[in-house]
Amino acid sequence: MTAPGLRNDSRAPSRRDFFRSTLTAGGGLVLGLSFGERLRAAVVRPTADPADALPADFQPNAFLKIGSDGSIVVFAKHDEMGQGIHTGLAIAICEELEVDVAAVQVVPAPADTDYGHSAYGIQVTGGSTSTWSSFEQMRRAGAVAREMLVAAAAARFGVEAGECEAVDGTVRRRDGSGEAVGYGDLADAASDLTPPEDVDLKQPATFTRIGKPTPRVDSPAKVRGSALFSMDQRAEGMLTAMVARSPYFGGTLRSSDTAAARAVEGVVAVVEVPSGVAVVAHGFWAAKKGRDALRLQWDAGEGRGLDTAKLRSEYSALAERPGNVARDDGDAEGVLAASSRRHAAVYEVPFQAHAPMEPLSCMVELRDDGGVKITTGSQMLGSDHPKVAERLGVDASKVEFVNSFLGGGFGRRANPAADFTLEALEVALALRDGAGLSTEVRSAPVKTIWSREDDLRGGWYRPMFVNAIEVALGDGRIDAWRHRIVGQSIAVGTPFEGAMVVDGVDGTSVEGAADMPHGIENLRVELHSPKLPVPVQWWRSVGHSNTAFAKESMLDECAEKLGRDAYELRRELLAEHPRWRRVLDVVADKAGWGGPLPDGVGRGIAVHESFRGFAAHVVEASIVDSRPKVHRVVCAIDCGLVVNPDQVESQMQGAAVFALSSAIGSGIHFADGKVVESNFHDFQLVRMHESPAVEVHIVDSDDAMGGIGEVGVPGVASALCSALVAAGGPRIRRLPIGDQLG
Amino acid sequence: MQIRFTLNGRPTSVDATPDTPLLWVLRDTLGQTGTKFGCGRALCGACTVHVDGAAVRACSFPIEYAKDKDIRTIEGLEASATGQAVVDAWIELDVVQCGWCQPGQCMSAAALLSADARPDDAAIDRSMSGNLCRCGTYPRIRAAVKRAAEILAEGGGR
Ligand code: FES
Ligand code: FES
């Protein structure tokens, strides 16, 4: 498979591994790109194609195609789920290619190893890694194209390449003659050239696009409603399926009565699939009515009796016992045992659903050759693709994936089990094999749609955690710190277990705690990873969403006990860590830390590193009618070199609001084995009238590039809770705050 | 049951069971997918459309009530000066992130601006709090509503 729309390019680059990445962070597989060989192999060209007579398009690599008509298409290796990465990737390419971002079209890349993550290997978007991991690769992709276009133009002008330059989508002579030729006119000639062995990238001082606020490439279509998301995708004769799943995790179907469902107008089939019973119909409404009419009995299985109150006490009991050691500096136990000034607290966070605004969906079109076309919105085609091929028992080349805009992801659409993709495939297969169904129904494209209830009750949550932290306080300082974390591992049982779990410690459970750099001499971090039938996975900012809340809350409690200012204490503890300290200083300054506030309003502060980014927050809040009222959030962010400052601001604003939702009103709880929450009335997200002003200060930084999408989340909850203390409220140690102020 | 209404200025007729929500008639029957599904229970506003000028949650509006009504969706929003100003302001300020909620946000904003050409923060809170944004674009939505009001006051909306 190759980039969509690619035509007539058998003269792809001959040099393999040209873009072998130098990025090896994260311990992942480093995947070199060898698009040349496979592009050639993949392009099927009838011998007498009249198109051959037409000028060729120029596709110097898997990321870029310049049409002989002057059109420029960027194939985005990372999925656009709101974070602005389509724009960011385009900026990096356009900077070197010397064209305006507004002049290119960005389309999602298909599933193909060419689009493997530069650090992780497989094709995936997550971990706030897209910008830093693909930045140089995209620039090289643009620079190679530029050099080849310049070479093609030089040959046409009959001069040396050095006498030409690329400017704004054209190559012109430097001699002042004004002679210039557009990229489109050079595409055919450029496509005959061999890519250069190496290219010079532009010096940062000469950047004209990187670092400038750049409009998003997807804004107009999204605003006008013409952008195609997964759920918007349609195919001729398409049917809609809704699956009734077990209300218990690990439950199994005992009996079903489907007669009433089948009788619903518009329902064409009811089929069993591994995850439950699928009602297939003409359109959503009939499918939903049909599903509502199912009478199903479930055996609860492993999930029987799952109950949040019970889990809380079990986790708390575990937290009193030593766990697997994630960090052990000095002698925390000894110092704690000998101390006469100890302070202990337990911090808790619930399961969290990602609740992307667009519920999940996936369209499947089975093909006669045993293959399939899958149209969905996924963050991890690199895992979905082989899983689908494996299920069908066909070569991956028979599985075509079309990705769409993602109506939010937050980690949910990078599912290690490919849950919503494989389930849709199962529905299509069950339909194809369905007894007594017409050929038309059996061969129809079928799209699964999840309701909001399905989404919130469908699992794959951020795990629930209990943290027990105990400290020994000295004279104005923290002498010892022991942090025990209790929560399910998101890695155990997935293909990523080997890489993510070391000596019984899932790094993502302890990130943000085991790596705290606060210079506390006696520091011990331990982990318990209980097993539950509740499926869990990464949720925006992963382990940090828990550990930062616990760590920063305890630092504030230490400051209170020590009679120290929360900002000053952090400054002192982070004296050796300039990037932490810089964002902390900036946020304190911009927020007017220590300055006067209206009566009843308090401030809280936090600083945290995650995903190679550094963020500090000050939250101003009060308590109104026993509810938190957030007046203002100020944040400072250092993510190294910034590609699009407007989107850094946007991500930080959005992250603050996202984090406030989980701090104040949303969470997933269990009673009687089932999820309590069902929709936005009881899974409460921040709304317009509760949304504060969010000020974002981007710190000028020459340091290594880092992440953004998740970095703005971790610090917000503790800063809010400390602001509420300063406003005269109680110390909240369990999220969401909900009615605990009442 | 055959139901006639006006959709974005065009006479339209569909055959649907009377309880089918307008949302699914738009999306499934008419293929107009600009109107989004987020909750199905009038809790999120992603499906907001205008029925005779008023903002309505299409997921909870049975098609039988659409009979003879004037229905406007995001696909037809730019036909009015107010709608045009909203779309322009949204693009100018790059409000969108994932974008799924945004057609609904724009429909609510346009309904607000039709009733109140200079909405203050309290009016924005009242009219926009039924529209959730999981990506948290509220600060920019607020700014864009005000920007749209400005564009209209300048005689804009093209
Ligand atoms: S889908 Fe209609 S309000 Fe949420
Ligand atoms: S932009 Fe994603 S939900 Fe609003």
Side-chain angles (χ1 to χ4, degrees):
Chain A
M1 201 182 332
T2 185
L6 177 68
R7 182 189 63 80
N8 189 20
D9 188 358
S10 58
R11 292 157 295 199
S14 55
R15 183 165 177 262
R16 300 175 63 188
D17 293 351
F18 184 75
F19 288 118
R20 179 171 291 282
S21 171
T22 53
L23 295 163
T24 57
L29 167 70
V30 177
L31 191 84
L33 290 182
S34 54
F35 49 80
E37 292 290 306
R38 282 182 314 100
L39 271 186
R40 250 200 300 280
V43 175
V44 183
R45 222 162 22 132
T47 37
D49 186 348
D52 277 358
L54 298 171
D57 292 338
F58 171 44
Q59 180 154 14
N61 47 59
F63 306 110
L64 189 56
K65 185 178 76 168
I66 298 174
S68 51
D69 58 357
S71 63
I72 301 177
V73 179
V74 167
F75 300 100
K77 65 182 282 188
H78 293 296
D79 313 307
E80 181 57 79
M81 48 192 167
Q83 79 281 42
I85 195 61
H86 275 193
T87 311
L89 295 172
I91 293 170
I93 288 184
C94 291
E95 179 70 61
E96 299 288 345
L97 184 59
E98 300 292 0
V99 295
D100 259 357
V101 175
V104 307
Q105 187 199 349
V106 185
V107 301
D112 193 297
T113 49
D114 278 349
Y115 304 106
H117 191 292
S118 306
Y120 297 158
I122 64 165
Q123 189 173 350
V124 58
T125 301
S128 300
T129 56
S130 298
T131 301
W132 65 254
S133 71
S134 295
F135 183 61
E136 191 171 323
Q137 186 185 38
M138 291 306 109
R139 288 178 61 199
R140 286 193 182 282
V144 164
R146 178 194 69 217
E147 292 305 301
M148 294 171 77
L149 290 160
V150 166
R156 179 174 304 190
F157 296 143
V159 301
E160 291 295 312
E163 290 169 50
C164 304
E165 61 182 346
V167 185
D168 226 359
T170 63
V171 181
R172 71 178 180 208
R173 294 186 62 171
R174 290 183 195 269
D175 63 3
S177 65
E179 219 180 329
V181 52
Y183 287 176
D185 290 334
L186 293 168
D188 186 63
S191 70
D192 278 332
L193 302 177
T194 304
E197 287 285 311
D198 205 358
V199 282
D200 288 333
L201 298 181
K202 289 171 73 172
Q203 290 303 311
T206 66
F207 286 164
T208 55
R209 296 174 180 92
I210 292 168
K212 309 282 181 295
T214 306
R216 291 179 66 112
V217 295
D218 52 353
S219 254
K222 283 180 172 177
V223 172
R224 296 192 165 103
S226 58
L228 284 185
F229 294 79
S230 172
M231 202 185 290
D232 301 332
Q233 302 277 8
R234 297 158 62 84
E236 184 71 27
M238 179 186 83
L239 298 169
T240 301
M242 293 192 81
V243 179
R245 304 174 187 87
S246 169
Y248 307 95
F249 291 115
T252 47
L253 186 65
R254 187 188 329 137
S255 68
S256 63
D257 173 356
T258 61
R262 289 174 200 274
V264 170
E265 189 182 336
V267 170
V268 298
V270 179
V271 291
E272 255 188 61
V273 290
S275 58
V277 178
V279 176
V280 185
H282 293 290
F284 174 94
W285 189 243
K288 180 180 180 305
K289 281 210 297 189
R291 191 176 70 165
D292 289 347
L294 288 171
R295 276 188 262 292
L296 308 177
Q297 256 82 49
W298 302 90
D299 283 323
E302 263 190 289
R304 180 187 313 283
L306 212 53
D307 180 273
T308 294
K310 228 170 79 196
L311 281 178
R312 285 182 60 203
S313 63
E314 286 168 10
Y315 277 28
S316 300
L318 265 182
E320 285 171 16
R321 301 210 301 269
N324 289 334
V325 178
R327 178 157 171 193
D328 196 15
D329 291 359
D331 178 21
E333 294 298 349
V335 174
L336 277 166
S339 170
S340 57
R341 236 179 127 191
R342 285 195 298 262
H343 176 59
V346 174
Y347 304 96
E348 302 174 66
V349 300
F351 291 101
Q352 279 293 355
H354 308 75
M357 207 68 222
E358 178 198 15
L360 300 169
S361 66
C362 181
M363 180 165 72
V364 178
E365 296 167 81
L366 293 173
R367 288 176 169 159
D368 293 339
D369 67 354
V372 69
K373 176 179 177 185
I374 296 201
T375 307
T376 187
S378 168
Q379 286 176 249
M380 196 155 61
L381 291 187
S383 159
D384 298 344
H385 191 218
K387 282 196 153 64
V388 167
E390 190 190 336
R391 171 65 184 89
L392 290 176
V394 299
D395 190 79
S397 63
K398 290 216 157 66
V399 176
E400 182 189 359
F401 260 93
V402 175
N403 219 354
S404 320
F405 283 118
L406 279 52
F410 315 117
R412 179 64 182 90
R413 295 175 196 269
N415 186 270
D419 73 323
F420 60 95
T421 314
L422 286 179
E423 181 186 72
L425 180 62
E426 294 293 350
V427 172
L429 291 171
L431 202 59
R432 186 191 62 189
D433 301 337
L437 298 174
S438 70
T439 322
E440 201 189 343
V441 166
R442 292 172 54 189
S443 61
V446 60
K447 177 167 73 178
T448 53
I449 296 186
W450 294 49
S451 68
R452 179 59 58 194
E453 289 80 2
D454 296 339
D455 172 59
L456 292 180
R457 294 182 161 174
W460 301 104
Y461 308 122
R462 189 278 309 274
M464 164 185 166
F465 286 101
V466 168
N467 306 262
I469 304 184
E470 186 164 18
V471 295
L473 299 175
D475 192 11
R477 47 167 222 279
I478 303 166
D479 286 339
W481 174 292
R482 186 190 61 221
H483 184 169
R484 284 198 187 121
I485 300 168
V486 184
Q488 285 167 274
S489 164
I490 62 170
V492 168
T494 75
F496 311 110
E497 179 170 346
M500 285 165 64
V501 182
V502 179
D503 294 336
V505 174
D506 175 349
T508 68
S509 302
V510 297
E511 61 187 4
D515 48 356
M516 65 185 282
H518 295 61
I520 299 169
E521 253 169 64
N522 305 291
L523 176 67
R524 192 173 166 95
V525 178
E526 300 172 5
L527 175 69
H528 292 277
S529 304
K531 293 209 163 85
L532 291 178
V534 184
V536 288
Q537 70 176 87
W538 25 62
W539 177 92
R540 194 177 190 176
S541 82
V542 197
H544 296 280
S545 68
N546 167 55
T547 56
F549 170 61
K551 170 196 75 146
E552 290 295 293
S553 293
M554 183 47 112
L555 282 173
D556 284 339
E557 295 200 43
C558 289
E560 285 161 29
K561 299 271 175 214
L562 294 168
R564 308 268 322 256
D565 176 79
Y567 162 55
E568 291 297 340
L569 178 66
R570 284 178 173 80
R571 267 201 111 230
E572 185 181 296
L573 295 172
L574 296 166
E576 306 291 316
H577 300 277
R579 295 186 79 177
W580 287 68
R581 201 155 154 174
R582 194 166 38 175
V583 288
L584 183 64
D585 285 344
V586 168
V587 86
D589 175 47
K590 300 292 183 188
W593 182 261
L597 279 171
D599 267 0
V601 179
R603 277 195 196 97
I605 193 165
V607 58
H608 195 76
E609 177 192 353
S610 59
F611 309 95
R612 304 182 179 207
F614 300 77
H617 289 87
V618 167
V619 173
E620 292 177 9
S622 58
I623 300 169
V624 178
D625 297 335
S626 303
R627 292 276 296 173
K629 164 95 188 143
V630 184
H631 302 272
R632 179 184 180 217
V633 176
V634 183
C635 39
I637 171 74
D638 171 6
C639 56
L641 178 97
V642 170
V643 174
N644 189 0
D646 194 49
Q647 285 308 305
V648 169
E649 179 192 77
S650 186
Q651 281 301 294
M652 291 300 290
Q653 288 173 332
V657 174
F658 185 94
L660 287 174
S661 287
S662 52
I664 297 172
S666 74
I668 294 292
H669 302 84
F670 287 89
D672 269 343
K674 299 182 196 171
V675 175
V676 173
E677 289 77 12
S678 63
N679 209 317
F680 292 127
H681 61 293
D682 54 9
F683 186 84
Q684 291 184 0
L685 304 179
V686 163
R687 292 176 179 272
M688 176 60 90
H689 64 287
E690 300 154 322
S691 174
V694 183
E695 293 170 31
V696 180
H697 301 279
I698 302 172
V699 172
D700 240 340
S701 173
D702 294 329
D703 289 311
M705 286 177 91
I708 265 297
E710 295 165 275
V711 183
V713 172
V716 173
S718 68
L720 168 61
C721 290
S722 293
L724 296 173
V725 172
R731 164 69 58 187
I732 301 293
R733 300 195 180 96
R734 172 167 54 88
L735 300 181
I737 296 167
D739 56 10
Q740 293 177 76
L741 298 172
Chain B
M1 157 182 189
Q2 203 69 30
I3 295 141
R4 284 170 211 288
F5 51 93
T6 308
L7 178 62
N8 296 324
R10 283 190 312 275
T12 303
S13 173
V14 296
D15 182 22
T17 50
D19 64 343
T20 310
L22 170 60
L23 172 65
W24 299 107
V25 170
L26 291 169
R27 291 182 61 85
D28 286 344
T29 314
L30 299 169
Q32 306 259 304
T33 55
T35 306
K36 307 304 188 187
F37 166 64
C39 70
R41 292 182 53 189
L43 297 165
C44 79
C47 63
T48 307
V49 299
H50 296 171
V51 177
D52 288 346
V56 159
R57 312 296 182 212
C59 70
S60 306
F61 189 86
I63 191 67
E64 59 184 321
Y65 298 130
K67 184 173 176 296
D68 300 332
K69 296 278 197 268
D70 182 23
I71 291 165
R72 194 156 290 278
T73 67
I74 189 69
E75 286 89 351
L77 183 62
E78 286 172 280
S80 74
T82 307
Q84 183 72 67
V86 166
V87 168
D88 288 351
W90 246 250
I91 293 171
E92 182 186 321
L93 300 191
D94 254 351
V95 173
V96 309
Q97 289 189 26
C98 86
W100 188 253
C101 74
Q102 299 296 347
Q105 304 280 2
C106 289
M107 297 307 289
S108 290
L112 164 63
L113 288 164
S114 302
D116 178 355
R118 285 304 234 190
D120 59 11
D121 283 328
I124 293 174
D125 283 347
R126 268 196 310 279
S127 293
M128 302 302 293
S129 64
N131 289 77
L132 283 173
C133 176
R134 183 55 159 158
C135 298
T137 64
Y138 302 120
R140 289 193 180 196
I141 292 173
R142 186 182 297 281
V145 172
K146 293 177 179 174
R147 177 68 189 125
E150 236 171 64
I151 294 173
L152 281 170
E154 288 159 6
R158 279 193 290 236

